[in-house]
Amino acid sequence: MSKSVVRTSKFRHVFGNASKQDNCYDGLRVTKNANDSQFCAVNTKFLAVVCEAGGGGAFSVIPLAKTGRTDVNAPRITGHKGPVMDIAWNPFNENMIASCADDCMVSA
């Protein structure tokens, strides 16, 4: 008496389609810092991504409606002497973001 070991999945008939290029965010230079934090934060208006920057930490804030290829020279928010470890949006004010870095500073 042999039993089948293969389990059936309720997702076996689910298929997805790749998103179109103009609906994606392309060209973002995400940091290569290895730590256990998240490198992006999103609210209903903006997407914030921690970026590669020389001489300190930086992150970019992109409106959600602006999809496609991002400019290499897009403005970045700087102000930390060390690499940015985490970013988070204010849950009560969608235009305010806080960042913390390796230099033991929290900026809002």
Side-chain angles (χ1 to χ4, degrees), residues 6-63:
V6 178
R7 291 184 289 177
T8 59
S9 172
K10 61 183 176 181
F11 300 109
R12 67 181 174 266
H13 300 295
V14 177
F15 298 99
N17 295 328
S19 183
K20 303 239 188 274
Q21 188 72 19
D22 55 343
N23 292 335
C24 298
Y25 298 96
D26 193 24
L28 294 173
R29 296 181 57 196
V30 180
T31 185
K32 295 180 181 88
N33 229 354
N35 57 7
D36 292 336
S37 66
Q38 301 164 349
F39 295 119
C40 70
V42 181
N43 67 7
T44 59
K45 290 182 173 182
F46 301 105
L47 164 71
V49 180
V50 178
C51 300
E52 283 289 317
F59 59 94
S60 296
V61 176
I62 304 162

